[in-house]
């Protein structure tokens, strides 16, 4: 069994429903027995996950690790099977998933605030409460949190 010694993406990108973790020298290493093999980006260098399912999508990507003149060359699907990379991926993508969730929550809150503001405006107009209508209109133009 291979164990992850260190796994820090050099670059993380979230685009559409994909999370890309790009690795570079010194940011990814594996321990095999008592030896540490360092990642070298000679073939594959990124792990692409589906943001909705959190499943790895580029399983055929080949990762190469080196110690001196010895190499470990594994396709990503095999690396996931023979190491604890999957556990480390979970900890790497949890903050990204939480960030996305918080952004979605904020968008939902803003949408609800807009709908509530529009209802208040409609209610003021339907009751011919011009004072309330102009007060709400002023709040909207003053940069209030309603819109």
């Amino acid at each position: 069994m291979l164990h992850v010694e260190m796994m820090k993406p050099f670059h993380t990108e979230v685009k559409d429903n994909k999370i890309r973790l790009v690795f570079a020298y010194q940011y990814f290493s594996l321990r095999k027995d008592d030896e540490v093999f360092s990642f070298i980006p000679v073939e594959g260098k990124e792990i692409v996950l589906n943001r909705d399912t959190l499943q790895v999508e580029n399983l055929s990507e080949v990762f190469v690790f080196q110690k001196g003149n010895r190499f470990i060359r594994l396709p990503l699907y095999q690396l996931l099977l023979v190491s604890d990379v999957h556990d480390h991926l979970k900890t790497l993508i949890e903050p990204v998933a939480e960030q996305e969730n918080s952004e979605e929550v904020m968008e939902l809150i803003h949408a609800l605030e807009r709908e509530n503001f529009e209802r208040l405006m409609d209610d003021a107009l339907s009751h011919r409460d011009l004072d309330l209508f102009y007060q709400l209109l002023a709040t909207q133009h003053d940069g209030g949190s309603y819109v």
Side-chain angles (χ1 to χ4, degrees), residues 32 99 115:
K32 181 181 178 189
Q99 178 184 357
E115 288 177 19

Side-chain angles (χ1 to χ4, degrees), residues 51-64:
R51 194 175 79 193
D52 301 326
T53 64
L54 300 180
Q55 296 296 312
V56 176
E57 293 196 340
N58 61 330
L59 292 170
S60 61
E61 191 96 2
V62 176
F63 280 72
V64 180

Side-chain angles (χ1 to χ4, degrees), residues 27 33 36 46 50 67 78 80 83 87 91 103 111 120:
Y27 289 91
D33 301 322
V36 175
E46 68 181 26
N50 181 303
K67 175 162 177 70
Q78 194 173 2
L80 288 165
S83 72
D87 295 334
T91 61
E103 288 176 14
L120 288 171

Side-chain angles (χ1 to χ4, degrees), residues 96-108:
V96 173
E98 288 173 8
Q99 178 184 357
E100 291 299 315
N101 287 340
S102 67
E103 288 176 14
E104 290 173 8
V105 168
M106 290 308 296
E107 287 178 22
L108 180 60

